Each structure stands twice: as C-alpha cells, then as structure tokens.
C-alpha cells in the first residue's frame, strides 16, 4: 500500500485548511402510526416515482420528523436487506446529496436492496450531541440511526433485518463511528474520503471546522471541550477493534486532479473548478493520509478490509459515484454473510 508523504506540519496545515474552506465545496399521504424505540414512529410513506419512495419518521430522541428518501427493489420487495446511505456535511439539506449528484437511483434499480437516505443532519456528524446547541439544537443521530429507525424500517419495508451503511466526506467518518458504537448492527461499512482520526489536534480542528462551517454550531456541544474523553470514545482509529467482524471498504483519492476535474466532467451544482482542484485536492490528500493510517491499523489488528487508493481524485462527487459502484460487491457480500 502506498504511503502519503505528508509531514506532521504539512498535515496540520491541510487539516486547518479543511476547517476554513469546507463551505466552498457545499453546493448551494396519510400518517401510519407504527411505534419504534421510545416513542418513535413511521409518520408517512408514499411512492414518489418508480422505485423512489419518501418516508417521514418521527424521532423521539430529537423531537422532530426526519425525512428519508428510500430506493426500493423493483419487484419482490419483501426480504431485502437495507443500505443506509448518508450524505456529507450538508446532510442532504442542500443540492449536494446522493440523489442529485450521482446515478444512485439508476444504479440500485436492479439491486435487491432497500437504500435509505436521510435528508437531514447538516454539520452533525450523525452522532449524539452531549448538549443543546443554539444553532442546531441537540442532534441525536446515533440514537436515531442505531435504535429508533432500524425496527421501523424493518417493519415498514419488510426487510430481512440485515444492514449496511456507507457515507462520504463528513459521513465517511460517521459510518465508522456508528459501527463502533453498535458492533454487529451493520454487516458492511463503506467509507469514502473520510478521516477516522477525530481526537488528535489536527482531527479535532477539522471536525470543529466542518461543524461550524456547515451549521454554525459549536463542536463543544457535540463531544465536549478539547480534553473531553468523548473525543477519544468516538475515534474510530482508536476503537478499530470494534470493527472486527464487519465487512469493510475504505477509499480515498490522492488529491491530484483526475478525470472529473475538468469543466466538462463536473457534476451539476459543483463548486468552481479552481476550488474543486485546489481546495478539494488538499482535503482529499488529508483524507488519503487518514485512510492509509486506518488501513494500516486494521492490518496490524488482522481485521480484513478492502482498500482502494487511486492515484488521482479530489474531494468531489464524480469520484464518490465511482466508489459507490466499486464498493457495492464488497457491501453486498457482507449483506449476504
């Protein structure tokens, strides 16, 4: 596996850059009462078009309704597993989401799987916050995704109870954190362009910057001040042992411009090309370093993982679409086991 030659000083600079400039990469029926965990329930479910459905689930932990986009198998829907597909820093509340930026709807059209995409979560890291924040309240996404939502989905979609989870950028860290918080809940985890080192000074700086830039929230309300033990408790690198037994897929580009870093190949609503190449390149170089470090930790622990480290690629949607395709055989294998 190739190493990324970043000195600690350069790496620190890159992470601080992430903290400052992530916003440049963020693009501008009747109720059915079915109880979930501690008062959560399915509020509505309707077909939008074809295999695309819209669901609304009330989260008791967050005291609000959570909209979900759901891709269902075209036929013989009963007994399919479920893939939770998380958006990035915008939480799907902006144009930078899986359905608008990728071919996910078409890609999963012939797959026997339910794909569930939450349409909230901006700047939240899809985690449980320890305190209420003036900007975004008190997100409780870990509770929602691991305790409230699964039984509701299993009943509403008549699933087989098997789950996988995948995410990009901010949520590429989140999916690893969710997996270590509930070992065995997800049979497969795919992390595209994320960073598992959340408790180091550089990791904290990046997380705090992403939280603030996306939502103007204070990450002290998420995991506490710098010295809080919550930061290490939620660090997937430090807790990698809890990933044992999970089918893992990790990927990151190198930060060098590639096939999607041209005017003709940019996704609709993408940031200016200069930002995609320079800012997106710097961010992807940092996530590459993180991905290499986690892969090495997993290898030292003798925990198998499929790792893809292409020689080019910036922090942008074209590459994440490719990784969604590339990772599917791995994810599907875990769902079958």
């Amino acid at each position: 596996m190739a190493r990324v030659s970043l000195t600690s000083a350069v790496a620190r600079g890159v992470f601080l850059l992430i903290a400052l400039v992530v916003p440049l990469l963020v693009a501008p029926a009747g109720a059915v009462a079915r109880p979930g965990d501690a008062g959560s329930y399915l509020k509505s479910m309707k077909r939008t078009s074809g295999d695309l459905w819209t669901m609304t689930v009330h989260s008791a932990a967050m005291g609000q309704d959570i909209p979900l986009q759901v891709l269902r198998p075209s036929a013989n829907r009963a007994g399919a597993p479920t893939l939770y597909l998380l958006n990035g820093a915008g939480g799907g509340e902006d144009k930078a989401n899986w359905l608008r930026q990728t071919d996910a709807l078409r890609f999963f059209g012939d797959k026997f799987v339910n794909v569930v995409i939450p349409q909230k979560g901006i700047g939240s890291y899809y985690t449980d916050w320890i305190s209420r924040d003036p900007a975004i309240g008190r997100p409780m996404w870990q509770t929602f995704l691991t305790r409230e939502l699964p039984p509701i989905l299993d009943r509403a979609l008549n699933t087989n109870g098997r789950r996988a989870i995948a995410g990009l950028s901010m949520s590429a860290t989140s999916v690893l954190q969710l997996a270590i918080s509930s070992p065995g809940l997800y049979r497969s985890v795919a992390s595209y362009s994320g960073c598992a080192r959340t408790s180091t000074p550089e990791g904290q700086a990046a997380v705090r910057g992403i939280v603030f830039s996306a939502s103007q929230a204070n990450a002290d309300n998420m995991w506490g001040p710098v010295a809080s033990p919550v930061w290490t408790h939620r660090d997937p690198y430090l807790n990698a042992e809890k990933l044992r037994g999970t089918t893992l897929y990790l990927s990151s580009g190198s930060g060098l411009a590639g096939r999607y870093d041209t005017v003709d190949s940019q996704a609709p609503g993408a940031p200016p090309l200069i930002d995609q190449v320079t800012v997106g390149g710097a961010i992807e170089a940092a996530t590459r370093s993180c991905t290499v470090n986690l892969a090495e930790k997993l290898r030292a622990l003798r925990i198998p993982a499929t790792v893809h480290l292409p020689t080019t690629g910036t922090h942008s949607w074209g590459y994440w679409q490719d990784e969604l395709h590339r990772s599917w055989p791995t994810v599907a294998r875990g769902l079958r086991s």
Side-chain angles (χ1 to χ4, degrees):
M1 182 183 302
R3 287 180 175 271
V4 177
S5 58
L6 285 174
T7 65
S8 60
V10 172
R12 182 175 291 107
V14 170
F15 278 111
L16 291 176
L17 176 64
I18 294 173
L20 292 171
V21 300
V22 157
L24 295 174
L25 296 182
V26 179
V32 182
R34 297 179 183 175
D37 182 82
S40 300
Y41 59 91
L42 174 63
K43 190 170 184 179
S44 66
M45 177 176 174
K46 63 181 180 180
R47 177 178 288 182
T48 303
S49 63
D51 298 331
L52 178 62
W53 293 64
T54 299
M55 296 177 66
T56 302
V57 173
H58 180 78
S59 167
M62 290 188 273
Q64 61 178 292
D65 296 340
I66 306 298
L68 310 167
Q69 296 291 328
V70 181
L71 312 181
R72 304 191 68 189
S74 296
N76 301 319
R77 296 191 176 98
T82 304
L83 169 64
Y84 295 76
L85 193 58
L86 303 187
N87 288 298
E93 299 177 35
D94 55 9
K95 295 179 180 179
N97 60 66
W98 281 107
L99 290 184
R100 292 185 67 121
Q101 300 291 340
T102 74
D103 67 350
L105 182 59
R106 182 193 61 78
F107 177 71
F108 286 109
D110 62 351
K111 310 293 189 295
F112 187 59
V113 64
N114 299 294
V115 182
V116 177
I117 311 172
Q119 298 298 297
K120 275 188 176 293
I122 184 170
S124 69
Y125 268 87
Y126 291 104
T127 188
D128 281 359
W129 287 46
I130 63 174
S131 302
R132 185 171 183 82
D133 185 271
I136 58 173
R138 188 179 179 187
M140 297 293 286
W141 281 97
Q142 178 180 312
T143 296
F144 179 69
L145 291 170
T146 64
R147 290 174 48 192
E148 295 181 327
L149 187 58
I152 293 172
L153 289 178
D154 287 346
R155 284 190 292 270
L157 304 179
N158 196 11
T159 78
N160 66 4
R162 297 181 179 185
R163 306 174 190 90
I165 192 166
L168 60 96
S169 190
M170 179 191 81
S171 69
T173 303
S174 306
V175 297
L176 296 167
Q177 291 166 343
L178 290 163
I180 67 172
S181 77
S182 300
L185 180 66
Y186 308 107
R187 295 182 178 231
S188 303
V189 175
S191 173
Y192 318 126
S193 304
C195 190
R197 297 302 301 268
T198 58
S199 62
T200 63
E202 297 85 2
Q204 277 206 32
V207 170
R208 290 177 180 279
I210 290 168
V211 167
F212 182 78
S213 63
S215 63
Q216 287 70 59
N218 183 348
D220 279 1
N221 294 319
M222 184 172 78
W223 292 336
V226 171
S228 169
V230 181
W231 287 87
T232 54
H233 180 66
R234 302 292 173 87
D235 188 316
Y237 179 89
L238 296 180
N239 296 279
E241 176 61 38
K242 294 181 180 179
L243 296 171
R244 188 178 300 279
T246 304
T247 300
L248 299 171
Y249 183 96
L250 310 174
S251 69
S252 177
S254 67
L256 298 176
R259 61 181 297 195
Y260 297 114
D261 299 302
T262 67
V263 173
D264 292 337
S265 63
Q266 276 192 297
L273 184 59
I274 186 65
D275 292 333
Q276 180 169 306
V277 172
T278 57
V279 178
I283 293 174
E284 197 70 4
T287 67
R288 172 67 158 247
S289 179
C290 289
T291 303
V292 169
N293 288 340
L294 179 58
E296 291 177 345
K297 176 72 173 287
L298 293 171
R299 187 167 62 243
L301 293 172
R302 297 185 178 181
I303 297 176
T306 299
V307 183
H308 183 227
L309 299 170
T311 57
T312 61
T314 59
H315 207 68
S316 49
W317 281 99
Y319 302 104
W320 296 325
Q321 175 175 287
D322 284 354
E323 291 307 315
L324 181 67
H325 292 200
R326 182 182 287 271
S327 65
W328 175 245
T330 302
V331 172
R333 185 177 72 246
L335 286 170
R336 290 193 300 268
S337 63

